[in-house]
Amino acid sequence: MRKFVVVDKKARVRASQVKWSLLFCNRTVVQEVEVPTFPLEAFRFRTIPELTSSTLVSEYELFDLVAEVVGKEDLRELVTQTGKETKRMAINLQDLEKNTIRCTLFGTCVDDLAPLMEQERSEPLIVVLHFFRVNRWDGRTSVQSHFDISKVIVDANLKEV
């Protein structure tokens, strides 16, 4: 990368606790370098017990989670504070140790998962939640997608699988 600026993130909404951010401008040049031994899909996996502990994961941190979908609520239409129409769906997730956590999906994450939840399945529905964040409200902890960057990866649609 060339011609970028390093800025203090105090004035921006934080997606992590890192103090500095790279700011690209119209003169920034990024050249892709292919190194087959370097994994391009980087994951920061967290466990459900880590997420439910109020001290281990910040509300600003984006993380990844692997779990089985064990329940869902009906899909709802909603309008955001900025006036954007989108969808919202809540699901229940469970890990191998039977720990559970509620997850709220928005926008394209709902579009990716909702059709699969309607299908008849003989195997559990395993999901990888990529770039999600923790939400603590009213004494409860849940996870939720970020409107712009979160992805729901289902079953074998992941290159590493």
Side-chain angles (χ1 to χ4, degrees):
M1 289 190 302
R2 297 190 309 235
K3 300 181 182 174
F4 59 91
V5 180
V6 178
V7 296
D8 189 339
K9 288 176 45 174
K10 287 181 184 174
R12 299 178 184 265
V13 175
R14 293 183 179 205
S16 73
Q17 291 183 306
V18 177
K19 182 177 177 165
W20 303 100
S21 176
L22 297 179
L23 181 65
F24 295 156
C25 55
N26 59 352
R27 294 176 43 198
T28 301
V29 177
V30 179
Q31 180 180 352
E32 183 177 358
V33 177
E34 299 233 1
V35 180
T37 58
F38 184 80
L40 295 178
E41 294 289 336
F43 291 102
R44 296 184 68 211
F45 286 108
R46 295 293 194 166
T47 65
I48 293 175
E50 286 176 332
L51 297 173
T52 55
S53 168
S54 61
T55 59
L56 292 178
V57 179
S58 163
E59 294 175 17
Y60 303 111
E61 180 182 340
L62 297 178
F63 58 84
D64 307 308
L65 177 69
V66 177
E68 177 185 355
V69 178
V70 293
K72 74 173 185 86
E73 292 180 6
D74 291 333
L75 183 138
R76 294 186 198 170
E77 301 289 330
L78 96 106
V79 178
T80 65
Q81 292 177 341
T82 60
K84 180 181 174 184
E85 292 183 14
T86 189
K87 299 172 189 168
R88 175 194 175 278
M89 184 172 68
I91 60 175
N92 296 320
L93 301 171
Q94 180 175 289
D95 65 13
L96 291 173
E97 287 80 33
K98 306 294 186 201
N99 298 306
T100 60
I101 195 165
R102 181 182 169 91
C103 175
T104 306
L105 305 171
F106 297 101
T108 57
C109 290
V110 174
D111 296 335
D112 294 342
L113 192 60
L116 297 170
M117 302 214 37
E118 302 302 323
Q119 294 176 356
E120 191 70 31
R121 299 181 63 87
S122 60
E123 298 176 350
L125 180 57
I126 307 297
V127 294
V128 176
L129 306 179
H130 195 38
F131 296 129
F132 273 61
R133 64 185 187 191
V134 71
N135 181 30
R136 293 185 180 91
W137 185 76
D138 199 22
R140 289 183 238 150
T141 300
S142 64
V143 296
Q144 68 181 38
S145 63
H146 187 282
F147 276 103
D148 299 320
I149 61 173
S150 295
K151 290 192 294 188
V152 176
I153 304 166
V154 180
D155 294 334
N157 292 342
L158 181 62
K159 182 173 55 176
E160 284 81 354
V161 173

